[in-house]
Amino acid sequence: MSATHSTRMLILGSGPAGLSAAIYGARAGLAPIVVQGMQPGGQLTITTDVENYPGFREVIQGPWLMEQMQAQAEHVGAQMMYDQIVDVDLSERPFRLRGDSGTLYVADTLVICTGAQAKWLGVEGEEHLQGKGVSACATCDGFFYRGKKVVVIGGGNTAVEEALYLTNHSHDVTLIHRRDSLRAEKILQQRLHAHPNIKVVWNKAVERFVGGGTPEGLVGVDLIDTVTGEKSHIPTDGGFVAIGHHPATELFADKLPLDEGYIVVEKGTTHTAIPGVFAAGDVTDKIYRQAVTAAGMGCMAALDVERFLQEQDFEELVEA
């Protein structure tokens, strides 16, 4: 028979948002269960150097940071489950969720911290050189390219914002776009074209990220002209893929209001449209998407859960 776990607080996802919620929830005596999902530890487990998380003077490693967060959550009483939710029933409380292991989770409250994944190009060398010159987050990794040459791939708001941000560190930023016009907002385009340290390469698609050197790192990108088919090469130290993100909300597409795939929460809170269901981190954040903002939202979610359960307990006591 399949196992059943009941909890006052069920957390989906084990990145900074989920583990921060677990730490606060456990300290509040809620004995939270964390279903870790497909990528335990979240996106930071595929990030090497982390230099912008508060509290560490020296560069730290993303996987190490998530190991420490998980150890802290477990130390204060959170329970980790190596499982992935495949079915959700939010029609009534307690909520019922089933993992691909067959395990049933019955929860008084649910905190969704399933995160978002950067979209990648899927070209040769991209995966191999991630963390070695290829990145999907200029805010996270731009500092490491101070004084170096970088390229940004994309044509929307994210790509233009990343290119503008990178000028804080690099004097040579190239935006590569597969079309002959940008999709970004006009004001962002104006700022981009006015910047002396940014140039735009039109009608070019990245065919391959090229590695070299010892230790190996990105040394250039091979391009193909989307109109003529002509091939070319740009030497570069850093390549930033900025073609958007996929929030991991497939399970909730017909159960919660979404905005471009991101879960909608009440402004200034982590409350969703269903009482007792909360969302935190990148799964609801299309703007910042930083480890520290996700961790902050995880804290908010746990505090929202605690208040919600106190109110529910009080109402049940009055009715009794």
Side-chain angles (χ1 to χ4, degrees):
M1 291 181 62
S2 299
T4 299
H5 293 281
S6 297
T7 180
R8 302 214 75 191
M9 181 184 187
L10 181 66
I11 301 167
L12 305 188
S14 54
L19 293 179
S20 293
I23 291 166
Y24 274 79
R27 286 175 55 82
L30 300 179
I33 291 176
V34 179
V35 179
Q36 295 193 288
M38 283 187 65
Q39 189 176 29
Q43 293 186 74
L44 277 182
T45 59
I46 58 171
T47 302
T48 51
D49 293 344
V50 175
E51 200 170 31
N52 57 3
Y53 198 86
F56 302 96
R57 186 182 69 174
E58 305 296 336
V59 176
I60 57 173
Q61 299 298 300
W64 176 85
L65 177 60
M66 299 320 300
E67 288 174 4
Q68 296 302 304
M69 282 193 188
Q70 179 175 331
Q72 183 179 3
E74 290 176 313
H75 177 71
V76 293
Q79 181 181 358
M80 302 293 152
M81 300 295 295
Y82 295 94
D83 204 351
Q84 182 177 349
I85 299 300
V86 295
D87 187 60
V88 178
D89 182 0
L90 304 180
S91 59
E92 61 180 356
R93 292 182 59 241
F95 308 118
R96 300 170 69 84
L97 299 89
R98 192 170 294 278
D100 63 3
S101 65
T103 300
L104 177 66
Y105 301 90
V106 180
D108 291 333
T109 60
L110 173 66
V111 182
I112 304 167
C113 304
T114 46
Q117 296 292 329
K119 295 178 183 178
W120 295 97
L121 297 170
V123 300
E124 184 182 346
E126 182 179 55
E127 184 176 358
H128 175 67
L129 291 168
Q130 284 178 27
K132 304 173 186 177
V134 176
S135 171
C137 181
T139 310
C140 310
D141 299 328
F143 179 83
F144 300 111
Y145 299 92
R146 185 173 292 275
K148 298 181 179 180
K149 184 174 182 177
V150 297
V151 300
V152 178
I153 301 102
N157 284 354
T158 299
V160 174
E161 288 169 350
E162 298 258 282
L164 289 167
Y165 172 80
L166 284 165
T167 60
N168 294 318
H169 304 293
S170 171
H171 63 282
D172 190 341
V173 179
T174 300
L175 181 70
I176 301 169
H177 187 39
R178 61 183 302 111
R179 298 181 178 85
D180 61 2
S181 61
L182 300 172
R183 303 185 312 278
E185 295 171 359
K186 293 300 181 185
I187 189 168
L188 289 175
Q189 293 190 42
Q190 291 168 4
R191 292 172 186 166
L192 180 90
H193 294 309
H195 204 292
N197 294 341
I198 301 176
K199 56 181 174 288
V200 182
V201 175
W202 303 106
N203 296 318
K204 296 290 191 296
V206 174
E207 191 174 43
R208 181 169 73 108
F209 289 96
V210 183
T214 305
E216 186 181 20
L218 181 71
V219 296
V221 288
D222 287 343
L223 306 178
I224 185 166
D225 193 293
T226 56
V227 177
T228 67
E230 180 184 357
K231 296 189 177 185
S232 58
H233 177 84
I234 296 180
T236 188
D237 301 297
F240 293 85
V241 179
I243 57 174
H245 287 74
H246 283 299
T249 54
E250 294 83 358
L251 275 172
F252 307 100
D254 58 349
K255 297 177 173 65
L256 289 168
L258 304 179
D259 177 13
E260 298 179 13
Y262 293 85
I263 295 176
V264 176
V265 293
E266 189 180 311
K267 188 173 182 179
T269 77
T270 62
H271 291 265
T272 71
I274 298 179
V277 178
F278 306 84
D282 287 9
V283 77
T284 187
D285 175 15
K286 67 172 73 171
I287 299 174
Y288 302 105
R289 293 193 296 264
Q290 299 298 301
V292 68
T293 54
M297 287 193 72
C299 163
M300 290 168 59
L303 296 176
D304 286 342
V305 165
E306 188 178 1
R307 293 190 189 102
F308 175 83
L309 289 172
Q310 287 174 347
E311 291 171 3
Q312 294 297 307
D313 291 346
F314 179 75
E315 290 176 7
E316 291 173 7
L317 184 63
V318 170
E319 290 175 1

